[in-house]
């Protein structure tokens, strides 16, 4: 799915701003059938949960409604008119006046509808978007709805971040010609100093297609005819971590001398490969340094914000980070575009977090239930998971910053049924994109001895909290446990190992001369002990601290105003650990630290 862009043949209108807003409990059964009767307004993009002082809105389970009036530009006569929602968490319905034009399940990927038959150039229409935040055993991420003694519906879920909901990303209206480019796929390679560009252009109907590749100055460096083919860029400038270089592939539908449609796709020329226990970008070993992150800020929730986007990337650069994982869902496309332009490496993750009922049992003190069964997570869950993978790859396949697909976070990979659940999903991912490695992140309960799925993947990402949840306050023991754990994975599987999570909750301003958990000194010492263990394991190809910044979670006595494992506070102030990371990462330059025997 192509991101909407204005071109010589296309126009784009952003529909962000203040919309009328209401929960389903305060409006009639068909709120799209007329003007929304509500005094409330909500900004788009933003999660709605923290905007209002009414706890009934914050805790609402079910549908909410957004509405505004839209005018189609009068110059769009004869064009196709498309409405696009960048995300509706976790289910969306879109109405043009009284007509349902689009439905979508999945909270972090875009969907759109051609509304040409329902609107007219220069005319206004009423746009209503319903958003449902419910999670079930057949949604990704999963959850469960319960009803208490008062009849109030409650949402429980299995992930440790707040279930923010609403229109957290932009809404667009755009035009395309009747005959237009629908999709483009680009796969790049390197042949010495020559870049190869395999391309495929999909059009709305049979058409004559030509393509041109422009360099960063706008100069044409190669061209071709036909909807698919391979181009060669002589003396290519590759896209490299920390040194981004982008070309543009301009796809044109032509009719004689006339251009019927044109679309310019930015791309970078680079290769990704796993060779033995090494991770290679452009044939060179790469060592990941960075973070697991969240789209999370005060008031906005998961609402995309360009100011935070710029500042977060600045802070990552300040620490010496070269990468991040989109924990635990696809991020806004603006984030991916920014990573492309600035040379930051991305591990792109689906929203499949919480496929692990052992964690639920541990947190709630309830008897464990099997994770994979007809009563828990089953074929319908896997179908939803497969659709999430399809949509993620369709959206992000052309981003040079994306070097790996992560199809799940901390699933119960040690349980019976895990292999039957995941093997078809790994096969699907490879079929959709054979050019990138595939990974998942292993939870603490999954060890090299009992994990049932690690051999299916190219890279094994490992989440470990020795020194925090295990061996709390004993960093000498934690370092030994970490090293022994990693050696087990390296010796059994012979694959690259990436530390995708390790961290300790920390209250800014709390200090001690001893190894006291929750202090800033302990967080820094915890990281240093973990790093010593990583450096002794040759197969470790990177480290991504959990987490970049403190973030909001659901209610729980084990959290104080959210998860405090951030190296930065929620408002992006550095803790002492940020300086510890800066000292380590700035001099690495994407290379593995020398081993300490």
């Amino acid at each position: 799915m192509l991101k909407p862009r204005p071109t010589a043949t296309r126009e784009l209108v952003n529909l962000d701003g203040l919309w009328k807003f209401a929960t389903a409990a305060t409006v009639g059964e068909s709120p799209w059938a007329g003007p929304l009767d509500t005094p409330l307004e909500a900004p788009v993009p933003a999660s709605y949960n923290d905007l209002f002082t009414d706890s009934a809105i914050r805790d609402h389970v079910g549908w909410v409604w957004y509405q505004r009036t839209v005018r189609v530009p009068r110059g769009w006569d004869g064009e196709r008119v498309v409405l696009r929602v960048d995300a509706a968490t976790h289910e969306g319905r879109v109405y043009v006046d009284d007509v349902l034009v689009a439905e979508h399940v999945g909270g972090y990927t875009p969907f759109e509808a051609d509304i040409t038959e329902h609107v007219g150039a220069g005319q206004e229409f009423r746009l209503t978007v319903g958003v449902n935040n419910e999670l079930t055993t057949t949604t990704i991420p999963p959850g469960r709805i319960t009803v208490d003694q008062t009849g109030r519906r409650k949402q429980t879920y299995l992930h440790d971040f707040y279930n923010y909901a609403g229109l957290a990303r932009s809404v667009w209206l755009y035009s395309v010609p009747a005959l237009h480019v629908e999709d483009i796929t680009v796969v790049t390679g390197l042949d010495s100093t020559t870049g190869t560009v395999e391309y495929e252009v999909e059009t709305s109907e049979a058409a004559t297609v030509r393509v041109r590749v422009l360099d960063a100055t706008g100069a044409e460096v190669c061209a071709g005819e036909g909807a698919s083919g391979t181009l060669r860029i002589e003396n290519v400038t590759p896209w490299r971590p920390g040194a981004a270089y982008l070309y543009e592939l301009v796809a044109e539908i032509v009719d004689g001398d006339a251009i019927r449609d044109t679309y310019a796709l930015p791309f970078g020329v680079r290769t990704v490969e796993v060779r033995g226990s090494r991770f290679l970008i452009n044939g060179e070993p790469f060592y990941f340094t960075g973070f697991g992150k969240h789209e999370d800020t005060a008031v906005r929730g998961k609402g995309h914000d360009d100011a935070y986007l710029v500042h977060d990337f600045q802070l990552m650069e300040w620490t010496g980070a070269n990468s991040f994982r989109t924990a635990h869902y696809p991020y806004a496309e603006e984030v991916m575009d920014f990573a492309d332009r600035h040379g930051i490496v991305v591990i792109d993750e689906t929203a499949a977090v919480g496929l692990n009922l052992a964690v639920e049992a541990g947190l709630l003190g309830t008897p464990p239930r099997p994770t994979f069964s007809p009563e828990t997570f089953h074929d319908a869950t896997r179908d939803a998971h497969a659709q999430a993978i399809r949509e993620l790859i369709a959206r992000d396949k052309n981003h040079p910053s994306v070097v790996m697909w992560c199809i799940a976070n901390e699933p119960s990979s040690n349980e019976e049924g895990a292999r039957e659940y995941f093997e078809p999903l790994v096969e699907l991912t490879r079929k959709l994109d054979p050019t990138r490695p595939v990974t998942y992140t292993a939870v603490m309960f999954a060890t090299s001895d009992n994990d049932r799925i690690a051999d299916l993947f190219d890279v094994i990402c490992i989440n470990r909290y020795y020194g925090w949840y295990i061996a709390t306050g004993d960093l000498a023991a934690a370092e030994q446990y970490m090293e022994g754990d990693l050696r087990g994975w390296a010796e059994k599987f012979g694959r690259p190992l990436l530390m995708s999570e390790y961290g300790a909750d920390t209250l800014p301003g709390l200090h001690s001369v001893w190894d006291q958990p929750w202090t800033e000194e302990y967080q820094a010492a915890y990281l240093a002990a973990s790093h010593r263990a990583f450096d002794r394991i040759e197969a470790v190809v990177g480290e991504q601290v959990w987490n970049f910044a403190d973030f909001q979670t659901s209610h729980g006595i084990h959290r104080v105003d959210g998860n405090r494992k951030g190296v930065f506070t929620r408002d992006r102030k550095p803790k002492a650990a940020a300086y510890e990371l800066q000292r380590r990462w700035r001099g690495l330059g994407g290379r593995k630290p020398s081993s300490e025997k």
Side-chain angles (χ1 to χ4, degrees), residues 78-98:
E79 300 290 291
R80 307 303 297 180
V81 180
V82 183
L83 181 72
R84 178 186 172 101
V85 179
D86 280 350
T89 310
H90 297 277
E91 178 182 3
R93 293 179 183 168
V94 180
Y95 294 82
V96 170
D97 293 326
D98 299 346

Side-chain angles (χ1 to χ4, degrees), residues 8 73 84 99 110 159 306 340 383 393 406 424 579 583:
R84 178 186 172 101
V99 180
H159 52 268
D306 282 340
D340 289 345
D383 290 344
I393 294 176
C406 184
Y579 296 93
R583 284 191 292 272

Side-chain angles (χ1 to χ4, degrees), residues 48 95 146 152 168 202 214 382 384 423 457 459 496 541-542 571:
Y48 64 78
Y95 294 82
T146 59
R152 186 170 54 137
E202 298 179 23
L214 310 180
R382 189 174 59 210
E423 192 163 15
F457 293 86
V459 176
V541 297
D571 61 352

Side-chain angles (χ1 to χ4, degrees), residues 500-511:
S500 44
E501 288 187 23
Y502 62 108
D505 284 272
T506 305
L507 290 178
L510 186 62
H511 299 285

Side-chain angles (χ1 to χ4, degrees), residues 155-166:
Q155 175 76 69
T156 59
Y157 46 94
L158 303 169
H159 52 268
D160 187 31
F161 56 94
Y162 191 81
N163 190 41
Y164 282 113

Side-chain angles (χ1 to χ4, degrees), residues 538-553:
E538 190 63 30
V540 172
V541 297
E543 55 201 52
Q544 292 185 333
V545 176
W546 190 257
N547 191 284
F548 171 74
D550 295 344
F551 58 91
Q552 192 55 256
T553 61

Side-chain angles (χ1 to χ4, degrees), residues 114-188:
D114 186 323
I115 62 172
T116 310
E117 306 308 319
H118 306 288
V119 300
Q123 297 179 359
E124 284 190 341
F125 66 90
R126 185 176 64 254
L127 174 60
T128 309
V129 180
V131 184
N132 181 16
N133 66 351
E134 295 179 5
L135 298 173
T136 70
T137 58
T138 59
T139 62
I140 296 295
R144 186 172 70 252
I145 305 291
T146 59
V147 180
D148 67 15
Q149 293 178 337
T150 67
R152 186 170 54 137
R153 302 173 77 241
K154 293 185 175 181
Q155 175 76 69
T156 59
Y157 46 94
L158 303 169
H159 52 268
D160 187 31
F161 56 94
Y162 191 81
N163 190 41
Y164 282 113
L167 294 176
R169 298 175 189 164
S170 291
V171 181
W172 306 89
L173 193 71
Y174 71 94
S175 68
V176 294
L179 176 58
H180 57 273
V181 174
E182 288 195 331
D183 198 13
I184 302 172
T185 303
V186 169
V187 176
T188 64

